Amino acid sequence: MDTEAVRSFVRAAELGQLQHAANELGVTQQAVSKRIATLERELEVRLFTRTARGVELTLDGQAFLPHARSIVTSVERAVTAVRPGSRALRIDVLGLRSAQAVVLHDYWRSHPETNLDVVTLRVNDPRLAVAAVEAGEIDASFRTVTDRATLPRALQMVHAFDSPLELLVGPRHPLASARTLTPLQLRGHRIWVPGIAPRSEWAEFYDQLATDFDLRIDAAGPHFGDEVLLDTLAESADVATLVGSRDRYIWPTNHDLRRIPIAAPTLAYPLSLILPRMNPHPGLRAIIDHFDSLAPLPETTWRPSWASPRQRFETH
């Protein structure tokens, strides 16, 4: 069935005149008439009767109209699905308070015309996020495949930005009064990062961080959420955790938690963006350019060995 003929029928039925339908569709009245005549022959029914004021639906036309509208809507949705620029840009972030979401929000505030849909897949295995990008369920994902050779050829991974780490402690912690800390000063202190998922990129990050700086990273126990973690820090004299400098945390004022930057070297969590190699959403270009405008970290910055080199964003 010719979907343009169905579209012509729907607009003629809604507007009541073939000429009005033709004007809206950008074709001649004769073209609309031919389309509808072809559709009537295919269906073997009359869809319209002509009147002095235009056209009116027959009983068969009235019965066919809701189904025809459904066909037109389905076609429009199908076309939208393969034309990325005509729909919202869907980007997966690890959490709505994460550095990725904060940076995207900063971009959107400067470009409110951007049709942006920020989602959280809530998966720990980066392979699942990769599959979602490859299937077209999302346009990009803030994930890192630490072994680049395992990334499907249809996808590319570009460096987004680095997130410097801070130590988060309660007021009774021995390091609470420090303005800055070095990694050496963190040795011997319990750094609690509950819920580190096996095979996740952050599991590899913390393993290498602990090895390179001889740190005590404790992942014991389930992660009951940020609120429980913050309550524990506020009450403890020996527990600390690591957070990204752009990560957004909110706690009661009486917790009196302290965020302390780490320097000499700065510890940076590298964030990458996975997206299609062919026909990526056109809105991604401006966002990746925004990442490039972020302030660079000091030259004395530690990154894990698998940190992605700055890759050129490819479009085909």
Side-chain angles (χ1 to χ4, degrees):
M1 184 175 290
D2 184 352
T3 57
E4 287 306 311
V6 177
R7 188 188 306 276
S8 297
F9 161 74
V10 170
R11 295 312 293 140
E14 293 173 343
L15 297 172
Q17 291 193 8
L18 298 184
Q19 185 60 61
H20 290 173
N23 293 341
E24 185 174 294
L25 295 170
V27 297
T28 65
Q29 180 177 335
Q30 184 180 16
V32 171
S33 296
K34 287 183 176 180
R35 289 175 180 178
I36 292 174
T38 300
L39 187 60
E40 289 178 325
R41 285 196 298 272
E42 186 172 353
L43 296 173
E44 298 182 348
V45 297
R46 289 284 302 277
L47 297 173
F48 290 112
T49 57
R50 293 183 180 274
T51 70
R53 292 181 295 180
V55 292
E56 290 183 355
L57 289 168
T58 63
L59 290 176
D60 288 322
Q62 293 175 31
F64 183 60
L65 181 59
H67 303 288
R69 283 185 174 133
S70 178
I71 291 171
V72 171
T73 299
S74 296
V75 169
E76 289 174 348
R77 288 176 178 170
V79 171
T80 297
V82 295
R83 289 182 181 169
S86 64
R87 57 174 169 77
L89 170 59
R90 290 172 55 83
I91 300 183
D92 163 53
V93 299
L94 289 176
L96 295 180
R97 293 183 178 179
S98 66
Q100 306 103 307
V102 171
V103 170
L104 284 178
H105 183 235
D106 289 342
Y107 172 81
W108 181 83
R109 286 194 303 174
S110 301
H111 304 82
E113 74 284 356
T114 303
N115 192 6
L116 182 62
D117 186 9
V118 179
V119 301
T120 54
L121 293 182
R122 300 191 183 282
V123 295
N124 294 322
D125 190 337
R127 293 175 298 181
L128 299 178
V130 165
V133 176
E134 193 170 25
E137 298 171 10
I138 53 176
D139 295 299
S141 176
F142 273 104
R143 307 288 171 141
T144 298
V145 176
T146 56
D147 182 0
R148 186 177 288 271
T150 64
L151 190 70
R153 296 186 64 181
L155 303 182
Q156 59 181 308
M157 183 170 65
V158 299
H159 177 266
F161 60 92
D162 293 317
S163 180
L165 298 187
E166 297 175 334
L167 192 74
L168 181 62
V169 298
R172 297 192 296 126
H173 193 278
L175 301 176
S177 60
R179 293 190 175 183
T180 63
L181 292 165
T182 67
L184 181 62
Q185 291 174 293
L186 303 182
R187 289 181 181 173
H189 294 280
R190 181 191 177 197
I191 301 174
W192 189 40
V193 187
I196 296 179
R199 296 193 298 185
S200 65
E201 64 191 79
W202 48 96
E204 296 188 39
F205 174 85
Y206 284 116
D207 281 347
Q208 189 165 337
L209 179 66
T211 300
D212 287 0
F213 293 98
D214 192 22
L215 301 182
R216 179 187 172 195
I217 306 292
D218 181 4
H223 184 32
F224 286 103
D226 291 341
E227 290 77 11
V228 173
L229 174 61
L230 297 175
D231 289 346
T232 301
L233 294 174
E235 297 167 359
S236 175
D238 62 356
V239 178
T241 196
L242 292 170
V243 297
S245 64
R246 291 188 177 93
D247 294 342
R248 183 178 291 126
Y249 289 90
I250 301 174
W251 56 78
T253 55
N254 61 356
H255 276 18
D256 194 20
L257 300 184
R258 322 288 175 83
R259 299 180 68 145
I260 309 171
I262 302 170
T266 297
L267 305 180
Y269 191 103
L271 294 165
S272 302
L273 197 64
I274 296 173
L275 62 151
R277 191 176 298 278
M278 301 291 292
N279 195 30
H281 193 291
L284 285 168
R285 165 62 70 183
I287 289 178
I288 291 174
D289 289 344
H290 174 71
F291 296 153
D292 291 338
S293 71
L294 299 176
L297 297 187
E299 291 186 8
T300 55
T301 294
W302 175 90
R303 298 173 179 85
S305 60
W306 48 261
S308 300
R310 186 165 293 278
Q311 299 285 322
R312 184 171 60 88
F313 174 43
E314 300 178 10
T315 57
H316 299 280

